[in-house]
Amino acid sequence: MKALLNAIIFSAIIASTAYSQEKSHVISHDGETIVTNPSKGSNSYKRWVAFPEKTANIRSIILNLKFQCPDSMRCADWDYLDYIKARPKNDSTVYEIARMLTPYGGFFQKDWGFEWRVDITDFSLILRDDVEIDYIHTGYEDNKTRGWKVTVDFEITYGTPVANPIAVHTIYDGQYKYGYKDDPIENYLVPITIKAHAETNFSKVKIHQTGHGMDANGCGEFCSKYRDIVFNGAVVDHKNLWMECGDNPLFPQAGTWIFDRANWCPGYLLQPDEVLLNTPPGKPFTVDINMEPYDTEKPSANEQISTYVIEYAKPNAKNDVTLVDIIQPSTRQAHHRKNPFGGLPVIRVKNNGANPLQKMTITYFLEGDKPKKHQWTGHIDFGDEALIALPTEVFSKKETAQFHVMLDRPNGKKDAFSSDNTLESVYERPDILPETLIVYYKTNNKPHQNTYAIQNSFGDVFFEKDSTNMKPRTVYQDTIKLKPGNYNFRFNDTAGDGLEFWFKAKDGRGEVKLLDSLGRAIKQFKSDFGSHINYNFAVRNDMVYRTDHTALVAVFPARTNGPITLDYFCNTPETVKVLIVDQENESKVLEEHSYQNFSKGTLSYDLSYLPKNRYYIKVYVKEKEIYKNRIRLKE
């Protein structure tokens, strides 16, 4: 009873704090259908919206971007480069405030949707009063049958700024040729000198940069190059412009989504690079970007760069910490690979006080539980963020529950702005598994790429297996006995291409699933998972586990001369219908097959009689579409 009372009191404190944190939303594009303009390669969607007045104190601005399939057409196919730009009224300057790399949406179903977010508070000086927001969608694909349904939502939190912005300077903005021996990129990325305002205490370099184009070396999209940020002649930041895409939370996708790229991945809202500069007030300072020297015989690479310098007055507080995000537990799609979850919670915090953050109190709990306190110590400099794992596991028998976190007493002092010290997330209970389980693993043609392990929340390994002595196209089954607790099953693929990837048909197809002692599936995993499977589960002797009644479907290969196989597995026999339809006209059914009381098996089809084109294969259970994939008939 006392624990419940404590939780109720603490919930009331959080609710009071959250209420005092005034917010508003400005939506520039509300579920708008976005398509290409093939004649120009770019399509502009300009909308005027009203932001807060210049006198309003803005604490933060988060841009929330949502993609869905349009109501009257299917999701678009290609990984195009999109921009979100802002132009204040009576101002000719246009600012790129965000950049989106669209996903490969070829086999997304009609109910698909995904949300991303990025902090754009640095543009709060120009996001005032009437502003023209332009969503620019590039590309050349057909605009009659495919596109995106897009929502752009500016989430504004009011309150004392971390530091008052003074000026926003555009340093570089454009598409810069890269790899040209007679015209190097440094001819354009020249040093820029700015005279700081008298009130300036520090500045921030903010960069949107992605590599594109395709020369003989894969540059600029598929090659790794470094970039230096130079401040007053000294390198203050060195970065390898490369991103691993096999761990993308938006997976699988229809195209080459697993291929690592130059600072971006398909289906990704770019998170800008930011570097703080110690700029003396009233004096000139110089900022420069230097790319790794590079040239080639037939260049075609380009670096798409937008760079800004934002001048700020001194921080408004000495001790000010912000709870940025709850990573685990969370239902946010960006954290999909790490959840559902039972174990040690993970949060992201940011030090917004001038003093380095060296200690604070963190209170956290699941609704109905007694609040837990953690006295954190460490070191986080001003403007930096850090991930913190909390020391006590969380678990609830409820399928869902609210998870609460509150930060307090940064450096043992009162927080100057406490309204952003609390957050809550939705906890989803992890699957309950039996004490005895079987790891079923069927290798593909590259078993040396795979390892797997089971460990608890504290990192104690209870089972692990490497690829030594594993043979291609072979089934391995390992029986594991676990005590009650919270666990993680991790399956790694060093090539980042999962146990199946359409572009690498010669690698074959493998599969992995967890079975109970009777051989029934309790968890099945898709083979097209990229770099890893990350599955959290709990073993409880006071709860009953459930078998997995979700059908797992896989079609292989995706590119064929005609023959394809469809693997189907489900614990529950059902009436299963398989359709093969035209990609451009899905109502045109080319083949239809029905299987009564069907639970598992491999089905074979020969499509060699069809014209060399792209087709969809769809699977229905109880008249509901549960699977859709694209098949390409090649010459």
Side-chain angles (χ1 to χ4, degrees):
M1 188 69 178
K2 185 177 180 181
L4 178 60
L5 181 61
N6 287 337
I8 292 172
I9 293 172
F10 191 71
S11 295
I13 294 172
I14 287 180
S16 175
T17 304
Y19 180 78
S20 66
Q21 186 176 350
E22 184 184 353
K23 290 191 176 187
S24 69
H25 288 263
V26 174
I27 299 175
S28 60
H29 301 71
D30 191 2
E32 292 199 39
T33 298
I34 304 296
V35 297
T36 66
N37 182 342
S39 65
K40 295 182 178 180
S42 179
N43 211 0
S44 176
Y45 294 83
K46 295 179 179 179
R47 303 290 181 265
W48 282 98
V49 288
F51 280 88
E53 297 177 352
K54 286 183 170 60
T55 55
N57 280 334
I58 292 179
R59 177 70 175 183
S60 68
I61 305 178
I62 303 297
L63 189 152
N64 298 293
L65 180 64
K66 184 175 183 179
F67 266 40
Q68 297 170 282
C69 294
D71 298 332
S72 59
M73 59 180 67
R74 66 179 178 87
C75 272
D77 285 324
W78 287 98
D79 55 334
Y80 288 133
L81 176 62
D82 287 5
Y83 309 91
I84 302 175
K85 297 189 176 186
R87 183 180 68 85
K89 189 176 181 179
N90 301 322
D91 190 342
S92 60
T93 306
V94 177
Y95 302 87
E96 181 187 329
I97 58 175
R99 183 179 300 184
M100 177 66 194
L101 293 309
T102 62
Y104 292 105
F107 56 59
F108 291 161
Q109 293 170 290
K110 289 298 293 183
D111 60 352
W112 174 86
F114 205 91
E115 294 185 47
W116 301 265
R117 53 196 279 124
V118 63
D119 191 326
I120 60 167
T121 308
D122 291 316
F123 294 105
S124 64
L125 193 65
I126 61 115
L127 295 176
R128 301 290 183 147
D129 299 317
D130 292 335
V131 180
E132 183 184 64
I133 301 298
D134 190 5
Y135 189 96
I136 302 172
H137 180 45
T138 70
Y140 298 89
E141 68 182 343
D142 174 60
N143 60 8
K144 304 298 183 184
T145 61
R146 61 206 75 183
W148 299 108
K149 183 179 180 180
V150 174
T151 298
V152 180
D153 175 8
F154 299 86
E155 179 183 333
I156 301 170
T157 300
Y158 297 92
T160 304
V162 173
N164 294 89
I166 296 174
V168 180
H169 306 279
T170 303
I171 304 300
Y172 310 108
D173 185 19
Q175 178 175 292
Y176 299 91
K177 297 185 299 181
Y178 189 38
Y180 292 76
K181 184 176 182 179
D182 297 331
D183 193 15
I185 194 170
E186 296 307 322
N187 286 350
Y188 306 94
L189 301 179
V190 296
I192 302 295
T193 298
I194 299 168
K195 184 179 180 181
H197 285 64
E199 301 83 11
T200 297
N201 179 265
F202 70 95
S203 297
K204 179 188 289 187
V205 178
K206 192 179 189 79
I207 304 177
H208 299 128
Q209 181 172 357
T210 49
H212 305 273
M214 187 71 171
D215 62 25
N217 301 310
C219 292
E221 183 172 346
F222 297 108
C223 71
S224 174
K225 300 296 180 183
Y226 69 76
R227 179 200 65 205
D228 288 335
I229 298 176
V230 181
F231 172 59
N232 287 340
V235 175
V236 293
D237 182 78
H238 177 87
K239 179 179 179 177
N240 187 29
L241 295 169
W242 195 240
M243 183 171 290
E244 295 182 358
C245 296
D247 60 355
N248 193 330
L250 175 52
F251 78 101
Q253 299 178 38
T256 56
W257 68 273
I258 65 164
F259 290 176
D260 302 340
R261 286 170 166 85
N263 209 38
W264 64 277
C265 294
Y268 177 66
L269 180 61
L270 185 67
Q271 302 299 306
D273 298 318
E274 299 177 353
V275 178
L276 297 185
L277 306 176
N278 184 17
T279 46
K283 295 184 179 180
F285 63 94
T286 300
V287 176
D288 187 15
I289 286 181
N290 291 333
M291 287 296 299
E292 178 178 341
Y294 171 69
D295 64 72
T296 187
E297 288 186 4
K298 296 181 179 179
S300 64
N302 67 81
E303 295 292 322
Q304 194 70 39
I305 304 174
S306 294
T307 304
Y308 303 92
V309 170
I310 301 96
E311 293 184 63
Y312 283 98
K314 68 178 182 179
N316 283 315
K318 292 182 178 180
N319 301 291
D320 180 6
V321 62
T322 296
L323 179 55
V324 177
D325 198 6
I326 298 173
I327 311 298
Q328 294 174 291
S330 174
T331 54
R332 185 167 287 168
Q333 289 173 301
H335 308 320
H336 169 67
R337 284 190 182 257
K338 298 180 174 68
N339 290 280
F341 168 81
L344 304 179
V346 178
I347 62 175
R348 184 184 298 276
V349 304
K350 184 176 183 179
N351 179 23
N352 285 319
N355 294 335
L357 181 64
Q358 297 180 319
K359 64 179 181 179
M360 63 179 161
T361 301
I362 305 174
T363 306
Y364 59 103
F365 71 99
L366 280 172
E367 61 174 303
D369 290 351
K370 181 180 179 180
K372 305 175 179 67
K373 287 186 180 291
H374 172 51
Q375 302 300 328
W376 175 87
T377 59
H379 187 99
I380 307 174
D381 287 326
F382 169 71
D384 285 350
E385 296 184 358
L387 292 176
I388 298 175
L390 302 177
T392 306
E393 293 179 301
V394 294
F395 180 83
S396 175
K397 289 186 178 181
K398 298 178 181 178
E399 290 190 1
T400 62
Q402 292 298 116
F403 178 66
H404 301 273
V405 181
M406 184 173 79
L407 311 181
D408 193 24
R409 305 292 294 172
N411 294 323
K413 307 293 184 180
K414 181 181 179 181
D415 195 299
F417 188 81
S418 60
S419 292
D420 57 7
N421 289 14
T422 64
L423 281 178
E424 62 181 36
S425 65
V426 177
Y427 162 91
E428 287 186 336
R429 188 187 68 204
D431 290 338
I432 307 300
L433 268 57
E435 295 183 20
T436 299
L437 58 90
I438 299 169
V439 178
Y440 174 98
Y441 168 42
K442 179 183 177 182
T443 61
N444 62 10
N445 295 332
K446 298 286 185 69
H448 64 277
Q449 297 175 351
N450 303 124
T451 60
Y452 50 96
I454 294 176
Q455 64 180 31
N456 66 10
S457 301
F458 302 95
D460 301 317
V461 178
F462 288 80
F463 176 83
E464 61 182 337
K465 192 163 188 173
D466 60 26
S467 57
T468 305
N469 299 323
M470 283 191 180
K471 299 178 180 179
R473 303 177 300 282
T474 304
V475 172
Y476 295 89
Q477 297 191 66
D478 296 293
T479 301
I480 302 157
K481 295 186 177 181
L482 299 170
K483 296 179 180 179
N486 294 306
Y487 295 92
N488 172 265
F489 172 69
R490 176 89 176 194
F491 190 100
N492 293 312
D493 187 278
T494 57
D497 56 7
L499 290 172
E500 172 202 357
F501 186 57
W502 66 270
F503 191 81
K504 299 182 178 182
K506 292 182 179 179
D507 290 357
R509 180 182 176 273
E511 60 183 55
V512 60
K513 51 192 170 185
L514 303 181
L515 313 176
D516 64 11
S517 58
L518 299 177
R520 298 174 299 183
I522 47 181
K523 182 62 181 179
Q524 304 184 79
F525 303 99
K526 294 180 179 179
S527 297
D528 185 7
F529 56 77
S531 63
H532 67 272
I533 294 169
N534 188 70
Y535 175 64
N536 300 301
F537 65 94
V539 173
R540 307 277 298 192
N541 51 24
D542 59 348
M543 297 181 71
V544 178
Y545 74 91
R546 299 174 182 174
T547 55
D548 188 350
H549 291 282
T550 304
L552 184 68
V553 184
V555 174
F556 187 83
R559 295 190 296 179
T560 176
N561 293 322
I564 59 172
T565 60
L566 185 152
D567 288 331
Y568 183 93
F569 184 95
C570 186
N571 284 319
T572 306
E574 297 285 359
T575 297
V576 178
K577 184 166 64 174
V578 178
L579 299 183
I580 297 168
V581 303
D582 187 274
Q583 175 183 273
E584 301 303 328
N585 181 9
E586 294 183 38
S587 63
K588 183 179 179 181
V589 178
L590 304 171
E591 290 189 21
E592 180 174 338
H593 307 271
S594 186
Y595 306 90
Q596 306 297 320
N597 202 34
F598 188 61
S599 62
K600 60 181 178 180
T602 298
L603 307 172
S604 298
Y605 308 99
D606 188 351
L607 309 181
S608 58
Y609 70 94
L610 292 171
K612 306 306 180 185
N613 208 332
R614 290 182 173 89
Y615 302 90
Y616 282 128
I617 184 165
K618 297 183 176 184
V619 178
Y620 293 80
V621 173
K622 296 181 180 178
E623 301 302 320
K624 180 181 179 181
E625 182 182 301
I626 65 165
Y627 179 84
K628 178 181 178 181
N629 205 346
R630 186 165 56 191
I631 301 298
R632 178 185 176 186
L633 288 183
K634 59 183 181 179
E635 298 292 341

